[in-house]
Amino acid sequence: MGKRRIKKKQKQKIIRSAVTLGILIIVALLSLILKPWDNSGSSNLGDGRDLNPSDLQVHYIDVGQADSILIRVPSENGQLNMLIDAGAPLRESSKDKVITEYLAGLGIDTLHYMIITHPHFDHASAAAEVIEAVNVQNLILPECEATQAFWIDMFEAMEAKNLEYIPSEMGDTYQIGEASFEILGPVDLSLGEDNPNNYSVVVRLDYGKTSFLFTGDAEVESEEAMLKAQPASKFKCDVLKVGHHGAANATSEALLAAAKPSLAIIQCGEGNSYGHPTQLILDRLADANVPVRRTDLEGTIIICSDKKEVYPANK
């Protein structure tokens, strides 16, 4: 009798161990699939909503390893439009029509403001094409010199349309519909002489109680200059466009601490040769509990605001 009881207990113990092991394996597999530690592609902004023309829309357009952002602002006379950067991926034609076709698809024939942050191919190569295709009412550029063909093409397109540019100046503010935006950088143009990324025009846009920060490719040196020249509160935002496609030389801990974003957007190309976004920046954002969304993983991303909160748009 005693031996049978022992065998029975041993069998029950083996079964319990097997069940426990099975549960652990299932949990491990689910963790690998769901990656609960990875904040990439997730957000805490709640459920998506359908696009509403009475709300602000920010379109982070998928242009590969490049930048282009369309902002649609409600006004008494319908939506007003603003474009930040018009880049095509490196080693690809600037005449790929992605941006102009995107604008045409939305029925946009006028840009009330256009900002080209700095003279790099992946931010400015389609600028001439945009100027030729639509009515650009106001163009803001950094005060810098550049000799690249796409930059010259842009100025020739401006001349053909009798369009003059507005030099970016820290502290200048502009009204567009029910929103406003302020130029926060560059502060020190000398930083861009050896590194054009530091010419980047940095803009904070406010809509009601919500705000968006657009950083171009501004690197740490430019970030430090801006933070030194202005209160940290100027950089507070709900949504941060991560600098330089998620490169390690931008989006410093100091800038992130000042911005305190609820969401970060990274514009980069799938499988790009630069390794963007870097693990350093992804870890930095994770440590700050900032969810990340990426155009290389999702394509074009649209974030909206109803003046009280920001939310993702349904596609």
Side-chain angles (χ1 to χ4, degrees):
M1 264 317 263
K3 287 183 180 180
R4 278 201 292 270
R5 283 200 201 97
I6 291 170
K7 286 181 179 180
K8 186 176 181 181
K9 288 180 179 179
Q10 288 175 337
K11 188 180 292 185
Q12 290 173 341
K13 186 176 181 181
I14 291 169
I15 292 171
R16 283 197 298 270
S17 297
V19 171
T20 301
L21 180 61
I23 292 171
L24 289 172
I25 291 172
I26 291 170
V27 170
L29 288 171
L30 287 173
S31 295
L32 285 171
I33 295 169
L34 299 177
K35 297 183 179 180
W37 64 87
D38 183 1
N39 66 357
S40 178
S42 64
S43 75
N44 58 0
L45 302 182
D47 295 332
R49 307 181 204 169
D50 292 337
L51 283 177
N52 185 342
S54 64
D55 288 347
L56 177 87
Q57 303 172 12
V58 182
H59 300 232
Y60 300 86
I61 305 171
D62 179 16
V63 282
Q65 185 63 20
D67 267 24
S68 189
I69 301 166
L70 171 68
I71 302 165
R72 310 205 72 188
V73 186
S75 75
E76 292 180 355
N77 301 313
Q79 291 174 306
L80 303 183
N81 303 294
M82 174 175 172
L83 189 72
I84 300 179
D85 280 330
L90 292 172
R91 294 179 296 278
E92 292 186 25
S93 170
S94 64
K95 303 297 183 184
D96 58 6
K97 305 293 184 184
V98 171
I99 299 170
T100 51
E101 286 182 0
Y102 193 87
L103 297 177
L106 294 171
I108 294 172
D109 58 12
T110 299
L111 291 175
H112 300 84
Y113 282 93
M114 179 174 171
I115 299 174
I116 300 298
T117 60
H118 64 291
H120 270 166
F121 190 94
D122 57 331
H123 289 253
S125 56
E129 180 185 309
V130 172
I131 292 169
E132 291 166 357
V134 302
N135 173 28
V136 177
Q137 294 187 345
N138 300 281
L139 175 63
I140 298 174
L141 300 175
E143 195 77 292
C144 64
E145 294 184 5
T147 59
Q148 296 96 322
F150 62 82
W151 199 254
I152 294 170
D153 288 346
M154 177 182 70
F155 274 89
E156 288 178 350
M158 290 165 56
E159 185 177 359
K161 291 282 191 84
N162 294 316
L163 175 64
E164 295 185 359
Y165 76 92
I166 304 167
S168 64
E169 291 286 346
M170 184 192 76
D172 282 357
T173 58
Y174 300 86
Q175 192 74 28
I176 175 170
E178 298 175 17
S180 63
F181 64 94
E182 181 175 355
I183 306 295
L184 302 181
V187 172
D188 184 356
L189 287 169
S190 67
L191 295 174
E193 291 174 0
D194 295 324
N195 181 359
N197 283 340
N198 287 328
Y199 281 135
S200 287
V201 180
V202 175
V203 173
R204 175 181 137 154
L205 181 137
D206 292 295
Y207 182 69
K209 295 181 178 179
T210 64
S211 55
F212 296 73
L213 186 62
F214 307 98
T215 58
D217 277 358
E219 296 189 12
V220 172
E221 297 85 0
S222 181
E223 293 175 1
E224 289 175 348
M226 287 187 288
L227 289 166
K228 185 176 180 180
Q230 300 161 99
S233 58
K234 290 271 189 181
F235 300 85
K236 179 72 179 70
C237 64
D238 293 283
V239 184
L240 169 69
K241 202 290 291 189
V242 173
H244 199 187
H245 316 284
N249 54 15
T251 316
S252 63
E253 290 178 348
L255 179 71
L256 198 54
K260 296 183 175 63
S262 301
L263 177 67
I265 306 290
I266 300 177
Q267 288 190 283
C268 59
E270 183 180 1
N272 67 84
S273 60
Y274 303 96
H276 295 161
T278 61
Q279 193 59 48
L280 173 70
I281 296 302
L282 293 176
D283 289 344
R284 183 172 293 163
L285 291 164
D287 290 343
N289 295 313
V290 181
V292 175
R293 296 187 65 176
R294 297 162 47 175
T295 57
D296 63 326
L297 300 180
E298 301 183 52
T300 295
I301 296 166
I302 305 174
I303 304 297
C304 302
S305 168
D306 60 8
K307 291 189 175 180
K308 296 177 182 179
E309 61 182 5
V310 296
Y311 63 89
N314 294 324
K315 290 189 177 180

mmCIF file with all atom_site columns, all heavy atoms in Angstrom, residues 224-239:
data_model
loop_
_atom_site.group_PDB
_atom_site.id
_atom_site.type_symbol
_atom_site.label_atom_id
_atom_site.label_alt_id
_atom_site.label_comp_id
_atom_site.label_asym_id
_atom_site.label_entity_id
_atom_site.label_seq_id
_atom_site.pdbx_PDB_ins_code
_atom_site.Cartn_x
_atom_site.Cartn_y
_atom_site.Cartn_z
_atom_site.occupancy
_atom_site.B_iso_or_equiv
_atom_site.pdbx_formal_charge
_atom_site.auth_seq_id
_atom_site.auth_comp_id
_atom_site.auth_asym_id
_atom_site.auth_atom_id
_atom_site.pdbx_PDB_model_num
ATOM 1   N N   . GLU A 1 224 ? 21.864 71.539 -27.799 1.00 0.00 ? 224 GLU A N   1
ATOM 2   C CA  . GLU A 1 224 ? 22.437 72.195 -26.620 1.00 0.00 ? 224 GLU A CA  1
ATOM 3   C C   . GLU A 1 224 ? 22.333 73.708 -26.730 1.00 0.00 ? 224 GLU A C   1
ATOM 4   O O   . GLU A 1 224 ? 21.995 74.392 -25.752 1.00 0.00 ? 224 GLU A O   1
ATOM 5   C CB  . GLU A 1 224 ? 23.904 71.779 -26.450 1.00 0.00 ? 224 GLU A CB  1
ATOM 6   C CG  . GLU A 1 224 ? 24.088 70.338 -26.003 1.00 0.00 ? 224 GLU A CG  1
ATOM 7   C CD  . GLU A 1 224 ? 25.551 69.915 -25.958 1.00 0.00 ? 224 GLU A CD  1
ATOM 8   O OE1 . GLU A 1 224 ? 26.413 70.669 -26.485 1.00 0.00 ? 224 GLU A OE1 1
ATOM 9   O OE2 . GLU A 1 224 ? 25.838 68.846 -25.403 1.00 0.00 ? 224 GLU A OE2 1
ATOM 10  N N   . ALA A 1 225 ? 22.610 74.244 -27.924 1.00 0.00 ? 225 ALA A N   1
ATOM 11  C CA  . ALA A 1 225 ? 22.534 75.691 -28.131 1.00 0.00 ? 225 ALA A CA  1
ATOM 12  C C   . ALA A 1 225 ? 21.102 76.193 -27.942 1.00 0.00 ? 225 ALA A C   1
ATOM 13  O O   . ALA A 1 225 ? 20.874 77.253 -27.337 1.00 0.00 ? 225 ALA A O   1
ATOM 14  C CB  . ALA A 1 225 ? 23.057 76.048 -29.517 1.00 0.00 ? 225 ALA A CB  1
ATOM 15  N N   . MET A 1 226 ? 20.130 75.442 -28.461 1.00 0.00 ? 226 MET A N   1
ATOM 16  C CA  . MET A 1 226 ? 18.729 75.846 -28.321 1.00 0.00 ? 226 MET A CA  1
ATOM 17  C C   . MET A 1 226 ? 18.281 75.807 -26.871 1.00 0.00 ? 226 MET A C   1
ATOM 18  O O   . MET A 1 226 ? 17.617 76.720 -26.380 1.00 0.00 ? 226 MET A O   1
ATOM 19  C CB  . MET A 1 226 ? 17.842 74.932 -29.173 1.00 0.00 ? 226 MET A CB  1
ATOM 20  C CG  . MET A 1 226 ? 17.947 75.168 -30.672 1.00 0.00 ? 226 MET A CG  1
ATOM 21  S SD  . MET A 1 226 ? 16.743 74.205 -31.621 1.00 0.00 ? 226 MET A SD  1
ATOM 22  C CE  . MET A 1 226 ? 17.412 72.533 -31.457 1.00 0.00 ? 226 MET A CE  1
ATOM 23  N N   . LEU A 1 227 ? 18.652 74.738 -26.162 1.00 0.00 ? 227 LEU A N   1
ATOM 24  C CA  . LEU A 1 227 ? 18.244 74.595 -24.766 1.00 0.00 ? 227 LEU A CA  1
ATOM 25  C C   . LEU A 1 227 ? 18.897 75.647 -23.873 1.00 0.00 ? 227 LEU A C   1
ATOM 26  O O   . LEU A 1 227 ? 18.320 76.077 -22.876 1.00 0.00 ? 227 LEU A O   1
ATOM 27  C CB  . LEU A 1 227 ? 18.595 73.191 -24.263 1.00 0.00 ? 227 LEU A CB  1
ATOM 28  C CG  . LEU A 1 227 ? 17.748 72.051 -24.831 1.00 0.00 ? 227 LEU A CG  1
ATOM 29  C CD1 . LEU A 1 227 ? 18.392 70.702 -24.530 1.00 0.00 ? 227 LEU A CD1 1
ATOM 30  C CD2 . LEU A 1 227 ? 16.330 72.106 -24.277 1.00 0.00 ? 227 LEU A CD2 1
ATOM 31  N N   . LYS A 1 228 ? 20.092 76.075 -24.249 1.00 0.00 ? 228 LYS A N   1
ATOM 32  C CA  . LYS A 1 228 ? 20.795 77.100 -23.480 1.00 0.00 ? 228 LYS A CA  1
ATOM 33  C C   . LYS A 1 228 ? 20.166 78.475 -23.696 1.00 0.00 ? 228 LYS A C   1
ATOM 34  O O   . LYS A 1 228 ? 20.118 79.307 -22.781 1.00 0.00 ? 228 LYS A O   1
ATOM 35  C CB  . LYS A 1 228 ? 22.270 77.136 -23.888 1.00 0.00 ? 228 LYS A CB  1
ATOM 36  C CG  . LYS A 1 228 ? 23.130 78.085 -23.056 1.00 0.00 ? 228 LYS A CG  1
ATOM 37  C CD  . LYS A 1 228 ? 24.589 77.997 -23.460 1.00 0.00 ? 228 LYS A CD  1
ATOM 38  C CE  . LYS A 1 228 ? 25.450 78.940 -22.627 1.00 0.00 ? 228 LYS A CE  1
ATOM 39  N NZ  . LYS A 1 228 ? 26.892 78.852 -23.027 1.00 0.00 ? 228 LYS A NZ  1
ATOM 40  N N   . ALA A 1 229 ? 19.643 78.701 -24.895 1.00 0.00 ? 229 ALA A N   1
ATOM 41  C CA  . ALA A 1 229 ? 19.119 80.023 -25.251 1.00 0.00 ? 229 ALA A CA  1
ATOM 42  C C   . ALA A 1 229 ? 17.657 80.234 -24.869 1.00 0.00 ? 229 ALA A C   1
ATOM 43  O O   . ALA A 1 229 ? 17.175 81.371 -24.844 1.00 0.00 ? 229 ALA A O   1
ATOM 44  C CB  . ALA A 1 229 ? 19.283 80.252 -26.753 1.00 0.00 ? 229 ALA A CB  1
ATOM 45  N N   . GLN A 1 230 ? 16.941 79.141 -24.573 1.00 0.00 ? 230 GLN A N   1
ATOM 46  C CA  . GLN A 1 230 ? 15.500 79.239 -24.331 1.00 0.00 ? 230 GLN A CA  1
ATOM 47  C C   . GLN A 1 230 ? 15.079 78.368 -23.154 1.00 0.00 ? 230 GLN A C   1
ATOM 48  O O   . GLN A 1 230 ? 15.744 77.378 -22.840 1.00 0.00 ? 230 GLN A O   1
ATOM 49  C CB  . GLN A 1 230 ? 14.736 78.792 -25.588 1.00 0.00 ? 230 GLN A CB  1
ATOM 50  C CG  . GLN A 1 230 ? 15.046 79.625 -26.819 1.00 0.00 ? 230 GLN A CG  1
ATOM 51  C CD  . GLN A 1 230 ? 14.667 78.895 -28.098 1.00 0.00 ? 230 GLN A CD  1
ATOM 52  O OE1 . GLN A 1 230 ? 13.621 79.138 -28.666 1.00 0.00 ? 230 GLN A OE1 1
ATOM 53  N NE2 . GLN A 1 230 ? 15.537 77.994 -28.559 1.00 0.00 ? 230 GLN A NE2 1
ATOM 54  N N   . PRO A 1 231 ? 13.964 78.698 -22.509 1.00 0.00 ? 231 PRO A N   1
ATOM 55  C CA  . PRO A 1 231 ? 13.464 77.868 -21.413 1.00 0.00 ? 231 PRO A CA  1
ATOM 56  C C   . PRO A 1 231 ? 13.132 76.457 -21.895 1.00 0.00 ? 231 PRO A C   1
ATOM 57  O O   . PRO A 1 231 ? 12.667 76.275 -23.028 1.00 0.00 ? 231 PRO A O   1
ATOM 58  C CB  . PRO A 1 231 ? 12.201 78.597 -20.953 1.00 0.00 ? 231 PRO A CB  1
ATOM 59  C CG  . PRO A 1 231 ? 12.297 79.970 -21.512 1.00 0.00 ? 231 PRO A CG  1
ATOM 60  C CD  . PRO A 1 231 ? 13.103 79.870 -22.767 1.00 0.00 ? 231 PRO A CD  1
ATOM 61  N N   . ALA A 1 232 ? 13.344 75.476 -21.045 1.00 0.00 ? 232 ALA A N   1
ATOM 62  C CA  . ALA A 1 232 ? 13.040 74.086 -21.401 1.00 0.00 ? 232 ALA A CA  1
ATOM 63  C C   . ALA A 1 232 ? 11.568 73.915 -21.761 1.00 0.00 ? 232 ALA A C   1
ATOM 64  O O   . ALA A 1 232 ? 11.209 73.068 -22.582 1.00 0.00 ? 232 ALA A O   1
ATOM 65  C CB  . ALA A 1 232 ? 13.416 73.157 -20.249 1.00 0.00 ? 232 ALA A CB  1
ATOM 66  N N   . SER A 1 233 ? 10.705 74.748 -21.171 1.00 0.00 ? 233 SER A N   1
ATOM 67  C CA  . SER A 1 233 ? 9.270  74.635 -21.426 1.00 0.00 ? 233 SER A CA  1
ATOM 68  C C   . SER A 1 233 ? 8.918  74.873 -22.893 1.00 0.00 ? 233 SER A C   1
ATOM 69  O O   . SER A 1 233 ? 7.870  74.425 -23.364 1.00 0.00 ? 233 SER A O   1
ATOM 70  C CB  . SER A 1 233 ? 8.501  75.627 -20.549 1.00 0.00 ? 233 SER A CB  1
ATOM 71  O OG  . SER A 1 233 ? 8.937  76.955 -20.804 1.00 0.00 ? 233 SER A OG  1
ATOM 72  N N   . LYS A 1 234 ? 9.782  75.568 -23.622 1.00 0.00 ? 234 LYS A N   1
ATOM 73  C CA  . LYS A 1 234 ? 9.536  75.811 -25.050 1.00 0.00 ? 234 LYS A CA  1
ATOM 74  C C   . LYS A 1 234 ? 9.507  74.511 -25.848 1.00 0.00 ? 234 LYS A C   1
ATOM 75  O O   . LYS A 1 234 ? 8.936  74.445 -26.938 1.00 0.00 ? 234 LYS A O   1
ATOM 76  C CB  . LYS A 1 234 ? 10.635 76.711 -25.621 1.00 0.00 ? 234 LYS A CB  1
ATOM 77  C CG  . LYS A 1 234 ? 10.590 78.147 -25.144 1.00 0.00 ? 234 LYS A CG  1
ATOM 78  C CD  . LYS A 1 234 ? 9.725  78.993 -26.040 1.00 0.00 ? 234 LYS A CD  1
ATOM 79  C CE  . LYS A 1 234 ? 9.862  80.467 -25.691 1.00 0.00 ? 234 LYS A CE  1
ATOM 80  N NZ  . LYS A 1 234 ? 9.006  81.303 -26.539 1.00 0.00 ? 234 LYS A NZ  1
ATOM 81  N N   . PHE A 1 235 ? 10.161 73.476 -25.336 1.00 0.00 ? 235 PHE A N   1
ATOM 82  C CA  . PHE A 1 235 ? 10.314 72.222 -26.079 1.00 0.00 ? 235 PHE A CA  1
ATOM 83  C C   . PHE A 1 235 ? 9.300  71.160 -25.653 1.00 0.00 ? 235 PHE A C   1
ATOM 84  O O   . PHE A 1 235 ? 9.265  70.081 -26.227 1.00 0.00 ? 235 PHE A O   1
ATOM 85  C CB  . PHE A 1 235 ? 11.739 71.698 -25.901 1.00 0.00 ? 235 PHE A CB  1
ATOM 86  C CG  . PHE A 1 235 ? 12.778 72.662 -26.402 1.00 0.00 ? 235 PHE A CG  1
ATOM 87  C CD1 . PHE A 1 235 ? 13.247 73.689 -25.585 1.00 0.00 ? 235 PHE A CD1 1
ATOM 88  C CD2 . PHE A 1 235 ? 13.255 72.588 -27.697 1.00 0.00 ? 235 PHE A CD2 1
ATOM 89  C CE1 . PHE A 1 235 ? 14.188 74.601 -26.053 1.00 0.00 ? 235 PHE A CE1 1
ATOM 90  C CE2 . PHE A 1 235 ? 14.184 73.498 -28.177 1.00 0.00 ? 235 PHE A CE2 1
ATOM 91  C CZ  . PHE A 1 235 ? 14.650 74.512 -27.349 1.00 0.00 ? 235 PHE A CZ  1
ATOM 92  N N   . LYS A 1 236 ? 8.470  71.491 -24.661 1.00 0.00 ? 236 LYS A N   1
ATOM 93  C CA  . LYS A 1 236 ? 7.467  70.538 -24.191 1.00 0.00 ? 236 LYS A CA  1
ATOM 94  C C   . LYS A 1 236 ? 6.497  70.225 -25.314 1.00 0.00 ? 236 LYS A C   1
ATOM 95  O O   . LYS A 1 236 ? 6.005  71.118 -26.008 1.00 0.00 ? 236 LYS A O   1
ATOM 96  C CB  . LYS A 1 236 ? 6.711  71.127 -22.993 1.00 0.00 ? 236 LYS A CB  1
ATOM 97  C CG  . LYS A 1 236 ? 5.624  70.223 -22.425 1.00 0.00 ? 236 LYS A CG  1
ATOM 98  C CD  . LYS A 1 236 ? 6.234  69.052 -21.702 1.00 0.00 ? 236 LYS A CD  1
ATOM 99  C CE  . LYS A 1 236 ? 5.132  68.161 -21.117 1.00 0.00 ? 236 LYS A CE  1
ATOM 100 N NZ  . LYS A 1 236 ? 4.372  67.421 -22.141 1.00 0.00 ? 236 LYS A NZ  1
ATOM 101 N N   . CYS A 1 237 ? 6.216  68.938 -25.515 1.00 0.00 ? 237 CYS A N   1
ATOM 102 C CA  . CYS A 1 237 ? 5.340  68.548 -26.615 1.00 0.00 ? 237 CYS A CA  1
ATOM 103 C C   . CYS A 1 237 ? 4.626  67.253 -26.303 1.00 0.00 ? 237 CYS A C   1
ATOM 104 O O   . CYS A 1 237 ? 5.051  66.467 -25.449 1.00 0.00 ? 237 CYS A O   1
ATOM 105 C CB  . CYS A 1 237 ? 6.143  68.412 -27.914 1.00 0.00 ? 237 CYS A CB  1
ATOM 106 S SG  . CYS A 1 237 ? 7.387  67.102 -27.867 1.00 0.00 ? 237 CYS A SG  1
ATOM 107 N N   . ASP A 1 238 ? 3.546  67.031 -27.026 1.00 0.00 ? 238 ASP A N   1
ATOM 108 C CA  . ASP A 1 238 ? 2.853  65.742 -26.959 1.00 0.00 ? 238 ASP A CA  1
ATOM 109 C C   . ASP A 1 238 ? 3.494  64.738 -27.907 1.00 0.00 ? 238 ASP A C   1
ATOM 110 O O   . ASP A 1 238 ? 3.619  63.559 -27.578 1.00 0.00 ? 238 ASP A O   1
ATOM 111 C CB  . ASP A 1 238 ? 1.375  65.925 -27.315 1.00 0.00 ? 238 ASP A CB  1
ATOM 112 C CG  . ASP A 1 238 ? 0.633  66.737 -26.280 1.00 0.00 ? 238 ASP A CG  1
ATOM 113 O OD1 . ASP A 1 238 ? 0.325  66.180 -25.214 1.00 0.00 ? 238 ASP A OD1 1
ATOM 114 O OD2 . ASP A 1 238 ? 0.388  67.931 -26.524 1.00 0.00 ? 238 ASP A OD2 1
ATOM 115 N N   . VAL A 1 239 ? 3.889  65.222 -29.088 1.00 0.00 ? 239 VAL A N   1
ATOM 116 C CA  . VAL A 1 239 ? 4.462  64.342 -30.110 1.00 0.00 ? 239 VAL A CA  1
ATOM 117 C C   . VAL A 1 239 ? 5.803  64.911 -30.567 1.00 0.00 ? 239 VAL A C   1
ATOM 118 O O   . VAL A 1 239 ? 5.885  66.070 -30.969 1.00 0.00 ? 239 VAL A O   1
ATOM 119 C CB  . VAL A 1 239 ? 3.519  64.176 -31.316 1.00 0.00 ? 239 VAL A CB  1
ATOM 120 C CG1 . VAL A 1 239 ? 4.105  63.177 -32.312 1.00 0.00 ? 239 VAL A CG1 1
ATOM 121 C CG2 . VAL A 1 239 ? 2.130  63.729 -30.858 1.00 0.00 ? 239 VAL A CG2 1
#
